Amino acid sequence: MTDAASASALLGRLRGRLIVSCQPVVGGPLDRDEIVVALAEAVTGAGAAGLRIEGVARVAAVCRAVAVPVIGIVKADLPDTPVRITPHLADIDALAEAGAPIIAFDATDRARPLPVAEMVARIHRHGRIAMADVSTRAEGRAAAAAGADIVASTLAGYVAGPAPTEPDLALVADLAADGFTVIAEGNVRTPEHAASALAAGAFAVVAGSAITRPEHVTRWFLDALGAG
Ligand SMILES: CC(=O)N[C@H](C=O)[C@@H](O)[C@H](O)[C@H](O)COP(=O)(O)O
């Protein structure tokens, strides 16, 4: 993908659709490349229009295996910054080389290795679509001003305090009202959440844990039963 027309055609395939994040629990029994590929094949076979995949080797393997657009990310725990999702330019280069047509990165307003504009420029230099994972409307506005093609609610609630358990549909609605291409991501745990996200103005919806992390879903059930 090298031009605006192809980017727009690729995005068009995601409009109003479900994207499934296939990121197994780290270190768990499903945390294997072949299982991520199998999950990708299972959900796309069932109708998922796109995928979100972590790790360069996994992005390459999934891009070879399926025909839907892949959002590629790299996660890294760094000593000097809370930014974890695709923190470096080298990550962008590797994800582009692996074949991801969309590259997502942390675009929060925290101590960061590099300015958001530099990340977007690098993604565009590879002819890829830049997806900014944000936690607030201000971050979404700043990312869009820096040239991001998509803003996503991925990090809402994850910059401080306890991890959220519901999608931030107010943020989705605010970003959509600003006129951005918004992906609702983070704690979309039910089909009703997904439908509500589209109703709030999302362009597309990502669901992850609810589909591809059975350990988390099991915990939700156990908690509801007051068991274990
Ligand atoms: C905060 C963070 O690091 N989010 C990550 C981003 O890639 C993933 O761990 C999430 O699973 C993904 O965003 C999908 O969200 P959920 O699994 O809640 O449907």
Side-chain angles (χ1 to χ4, degrees):
M1 185 188 34
T2 51
D3 56 37
S6 351
S8 155
L10 187 129
L11 273 181
R13 294 168 61 190
L14 299 176
R15 182 189 297 276
R17 304 289 300 276
L18 177 69
I19 298 163
V20 176
S21 169
C22 301
Q23 298 185 58
V25 170
V26 174
L30 303 187
D31 190 16
R32 293 175 9 210
D33 293 358
E34 68 273 23
I35 289 181
V36 171
V37 170
L39 286 169
E41 290 173 335
V43 300
T44 55
L51 298 164
R52 179 163 166 129
I53 304 293
E54 192 278 330
V56 172
R58 288 179 183 179
V59 166
V62 168
C63 286
R64 280 194 298 272
V66 301
V68 304
V70 169
I71 300 166
I73 62 168
V74 166
K75 280 180 176 164
D77 288 307
L78 301 169
D80 47 350
T81 172
V83 167
R84 295 182 72 227
I85 298 178
T86 319
H88 295 125
L89 296 177
D91 301 323
I92 292 172
D93 297 345
L95 289 166
E97 174 74 18
I102 304 173
I103 296 176
F105 65 99
D106 181 316
T108 58
D109 181 21
R110 300 184 282 184
R112 18 180 335 105
L114 290 164
V116 169
E118 224 174 294
M119 304 296 282
V120 171
R122 188 66 154 241
I123 294 169
H124 286 167
R125 195 190 304 168
H126 287 289
R128 311 292 163 168
I129 293 169
M131 173 167 166
D133 289 332
V134 304
S135 69
T136 65
R137 187 179 200 174
E139 290 167 356
R141 287 175 167 172
D149 307 289
I150 299 168
V151 292
S153 57
T154 316
L155 294 171
Y158 286 103
V159 296
T165 58
E166 298 272 330
D168 190 339
L169 297 183
L171 176 59
V172 169
D174 284 345
L175 293 170
D178 285 336
F180 307 139
T181 298
V182 181
I183 288 187
E185 174 167 346
N187 296 289
V188 175
R189 294 186 175 190
T190 66
E192 292 73 23
H193 284 161
S196 301
L198 285 190
F203 180 83
V205 184
V206 173
S209 303
I211 299 175
T212 60
R213 286 183 183 145
E215 299 94 325
H216 289 192
V217 182
T218 302
R219 188 75 247 164
W220 302 342
F221 276 79
L222 292 176
D223 288 347
L225 296 177

PDB file of all heavy atoms in Angstrom, residues 8-17 49-50 67-69 203:
ATOM      1  N   SER A   8      -7.403   4.396   1.712  1.00  0.00           N
ATOM      2  CA  SER A   8      -8.829   4.617   1.900  1.00  0.00           C
ATOM      3  C   SER A   8      -9.630   3.361   1.565  1.00  0.00           C
ATOM      4  O   SER A   8     -10.593   3.011   2.261  1.00  0.00           O
ATOM      5  CB  SER A   8      -9.211   5.814   1.038  1.00  0.00           C
ATOM      6  OG  SER A   8     -10.511   5.783   0.704  1.00  0.00           O
ATOM      7  N   ALA A   9      -9.194   2.619   0.551  1.00  0.00           N
ATOM      8  CA  ALA A   9      -9.881   1.358   0.214  1.00  0.00           C
ATOM      9  C   ALA A   9      -9.712   0.352   1.352  1.00  0.00           C
ATOM     10  O   ALA A   9     -10.654  -0.346   1.732  1.00  0.00           O
ATOM     11  CB  ALA A   9      -9.316   0.785  -1.082  1.00  0.00           C
ATOM     12  N   LEU A  10      -8.517   0.320   1.903  1.00  0.00           N
ATOM     13  CA  LEU A  10      -8.272  -0.625   3.001  1.00  0.00           C
ATOM     14  C   LEU A  10      -9.119  -0.267   4.223  1.00  0.00           C
ATOM     15  O   LEU A  10      -9.765  -1.123   4.829  1.00  0.00           O
ATOM     16  CB  LEU A  10      -6.786  -0.629   3.353  1.00  0.00           C
ATOM     17  CG  LEU A  10      -6.433  -1.703   4.370  1.00  0.00           C
ATOM     18  CD1 LEU A  10      -5.265  -2.537   3.890  1.00  0.00           C
ATOM     19  CD2 LEU A  10      -6.117  -1.105   5.699  1.00  0.00           C
ATOM     20  N   LEU A  11      -9.163   1.020   4.536  1.00  0.00           N
ATOM     21  CA  LEU A  11      -9.986   1.453   5.677  1.00  0.00           C
ATOM     22  C   LEU A  11     -11.454   1.145   5.422  1.00  0.00           C
ATOM     23  O   LEU A  11     -12.186   0.769   6.335  1.00  0.00           O
ATOM     24  CB  LEU A  11      -9.802   2.951   5.916  1.00  0.00           C
ATOM     25  CG  LEU A  11      -8.635   3.353   6.815  1.00  0.00           C
ATOM     26  CD1 LEU A  11      -8.603   4.863   6.976  1.00  0.00           C
ATOM     27  CD2 LEU A  11      -8.758   2.675   8.170  1.00  0.00           C
ATOM     28  N   GLY A  12     -11.870   1.309   4.184  1.00  0.00           N
ATOM     29  CA  GLY A  12     -13.265   1.042   3.833  1.00  0.00           C
ATOM     30  C   GLY A  12     -13.685  -0.380   4.172  1.00  0.00           C
ATOM     31  O   GLY A  12     -14.845  -0.639   4.503  1.00  0.00           O
ATOM     32  N   ARG A  13     -12.736  -1.306   4.129  1.00  0.00           N
ATOM     33  CA  ARG A  13     -13.052  -2.710   4.451  1.00  0.00           C
ATOM     34  C   ARG A  13     -13.366  -2.890   5.939  1.00  0.00           C
ATOM     35  O   ARG A  13     -13.896  -3.916   6.354  1.00  0.00           O
ATOM     36  CB  ARG A  13     -11.879  -3.618   4.062  1.00  0.00           C
ATOM     37  CG  ARG A  13     -11.654  -3.662   2.561  1.00  0.00           C
ATOM     38  CD  ARG A  13     -10.335  -4.320   2.197  1.00  0.00           C
ATOM     39  NE  ARG A  13     -10.243  -5.697   2.645  1.00  0.00           N
ATOM     40  CZ  ARG A  13      -9.116  -6.421   2.611  1.00  0.00           C
ATOM     41  NH1 ARG A  13      -8.001  -5.886   2.153  1.00  0.00           N
ATOM     42  NH2 ARG A  13      -9.115  -7.665   3.040  1.00  0.00           N
ATOM     43  N   LEU A  14     -12.996  -1.892   6.737  1.00  0.00           N
ATOM     44  CA  LEU A  14     -13.205  -1.999   8.183  1.00  0.00           C
ATOM     45  C   LEU A  14     -14.418  -1.216   8.673  1.00  0.00           C
ATOM     46  O   LEU A  14     -14.827  -1.360   9.832  1.00  0.00           O
ATOM     47  CB  LEU A  14     -11.945  -1.514   8.923  1.00  0.00           C
ATOM     48  CG  LEU A  14     -10.670  -2.307   8.642  1.00  0.00           C
ATOM     49  CD1 LEU A  14      -9.482  -1.670   9.342  1.00  0.00           C
ATOM     50  CD2 LEU A  14     -10.838  -3.764   9.083  1.00  0.00           C
ATOM     51  N   ARG A  15     -14.999  -0.400   7.819  1.00  0.00           N
ATOM     52  CA  ARG A  15     -16.083   0.487   8.263  1.00  0.00           C
ATOM     53  C   ARG A  15     -17.270  -0.305   8.831  1.00  0.00           C
ATOM     54  O   ARG A  15     -17.830  -1.181   8.165  1.00  0.00           O
ATOM     55  CB  ARG A  15     -16.574   1.341   7.091  1.00  0.00           C
ATOM     56  CG  ARG A  15     -17.658   2.330   7.478  1.00  0.00           C
ATOM     57  CD  ARG A  15     -18.258   3.000   6.248  1.00  0.00           C
ATOM     58  NE  ARG A  15     -17.292   3.790   5.524  1.00  0.00           N
ATOM     59  CZ  ARG A  15     -16.949   5.045   5.815  1.00  0.00           C
ATOM     60  NH1 ARG A  15     -17.545   5.654   6.813  1.00  0.00           N
ATOM     61  NH2 ARG A  15     -16.053   5.675   5.090  1.00  0.00           N
ATOM     62  N   GLY A  16     -17.596  -0.004  10.070  1.00  0.00           N
ATOM     63  CA  GLY A  16     -18.757  -0.645  10.704  1.00  0.00           C
ATOM     64  C   GLY A  16     -18.534  -2.096  11.084  1.00  0.00           C
ATOM     65  O   GLY A  16     -19.484  -2.808  11.417  1.00  0.00           O
ATOM     66  N   ARG A  17     -17.271  -2.523  11.068  1.00  0.00           N
ATOM     67  CA  ARG A  17     -16.992  -3.952  11.233  1.00  0.00           C
ATOM     68  C   ARG A  17     -16.249  -4.246  12.536  1.00  0.00           C
ATOM     69  O   ARG A  17     -15.790  -3.351  13.228  1.00  0.00           O
ATOM     70  CB  ARG A  17     -16.157  -4.450  10.045  1.00  0.00           C
ATOM     71  CG  ARG A  17     -16.770  -4.201   8.678  1.00  0.00           C
ATOM     72  CD  ARG A  17     -17.978  -5.075   8.375  1.00  0.00           C
ATOM     73  NE  ARG A  17     -17.661  -6.499   8.410  1.00  0.00           N
ATOM     74  CZ  ARG A  17     -17.136  -7.177   7.392  1.00  0.00           C
ATOM     75  NH1 ARG A  17     -16.876  -6.549   6.256  1.00  0.00           N
ATOM     76  NH2 ARG A  17     -16.885  -8.474   7.512  1.00  0.00           N
ATOM     77  N   ALA A  49     -13.423  -8.648  10.361  1.00  0.00           N
ATOM     78  CA  ALA A  49     -12.952  -7.929   9.170  1.00  0.00           C
ATOM     79  C   ALA A  49     -11.499  -7.507   9.279  1.00  0.00           C
ATOM     80  O   ALA A  49     -10.886  -7.101   8.284  1.00  0.00           O
ATOM     81  CB  ALA A  49     -13.823  -6.699   8.936  1.00  0.00           C
ATOM     82  N   GLY A  50     -10.952  -7.562  10.488  1.00  0.00           N
ATOM     83  CA  GLY A  50      -9.562  -7.158  10.691  1.00  0.00           C
ATOM     84  C   GLY A  50      -9.039  -7.789  11.961  1.00  0.00           C
ATOM     85  O   GLY A  50      -9.791  -8.393  12.741  1.00  0.00           O
ATOM     86  N   ALA A  67      -6.302 -12.869   4.834  1.00  0.00           N
ATOM     87  CA  ALA A  67      -6.360 -11.815   3.819  1.00  0.00           C
ATOM     88  C   ALA A  67      -6.932 -10.506   4.346  1.00  0.00           C
ATOM     89  O   ALA A  67      -7.105  -9.561   3.584  1.00  0.00           O
ATOM     90  CB  ALA A  67      -7.198 -12.309   2.640  1.00  0.00           C
ATOM     91  N   VAL A  68      -7.226 -10.433   5.642  1.00  0.00           N
ATOM     92  CA  VAL A  68      -7.836  -9.206   6.176  1.00  0.00           C
ATOM     93  C   VAL A  68      -6.756  -8.227   6.643  1.00  0.00           C
ATOM     94  O   VAL A  68      -5.628  -8.634   6.911  1.00  0.00           O
ATOM     95  CB  VAL A  68      -8.794  -9.511   7.355  1.00  0.00           C
ATOM     96  CG1 VAL A  68      -9.868 -10.508   6.935  1.00  0.00           C
ATOM     97  CG2 VAL A  68      -8.029  -9.996   8.566  1.00  0.00           C
ATOM     98  N   PRO A  69      -7.113  -6.936   6.750  1.00  0.00           N
ATOM     99  CA  PRO A  69      -6.134  -5.963   7.253  1.00  0.00           C
ATOM    100  C   PRO A  69      -5.699  -6.269   8.683  1.00  0.00           C
ATOM    101  O   PRO A  69      -6.521  -6.611   9.535  1.00  0.00           O
ATOM    102  CB  PRO A  69      -6.904  -4.630   7.199  1.00  0.00           C
ATOM    103  CG  PRO A  69      -8.010  -4.855   6.220  1.00  0.00           C
ATOM    104  CD  PRO A  69      -8.369  -6.307   6.331  1.00  0.00           C
ATOM    105  N   PHE A 203     -15.957   4.129  13.988  1.00  0.00           N
ATOM    106  CA  PHE A 203     -15.803   3.680  12.600  1.00  0.00           C
ATOM    107  C   PHE A 203     -15.737   2.151  12.560  1.00  0.00           C
ATOM    108  O   PHE A 203     -16.253   1.513  11.650  1.00  0.00           O
ATOM    109  CB  PHE A 203     -14.513   4.289  12.044  1.00  0.00           C
ATOM    110  CG  PHE A 203     -14.204   3.921  10.634  1.00  0.00           C
ATOM    111  CD1 PHE A 203     -14.786   4.604   9.577  1.00  0.00           C
ATOM    112  CD2 PHE A 203     -13.306   2.892  10.347  1.00  0.00           C
ATOM    113  CE1 PHE A 203     -14.501   4.266   8.256  1.00  0.00           C
ATOM    114  CE2 PHE A 203     -13.008   2.556   9.040  1.00  0.00           C
ATOM    115  CZ  PHE A 203     -13.605   3.245   7.992  1.00  0.00           C
TER     116      PHE A 203
END
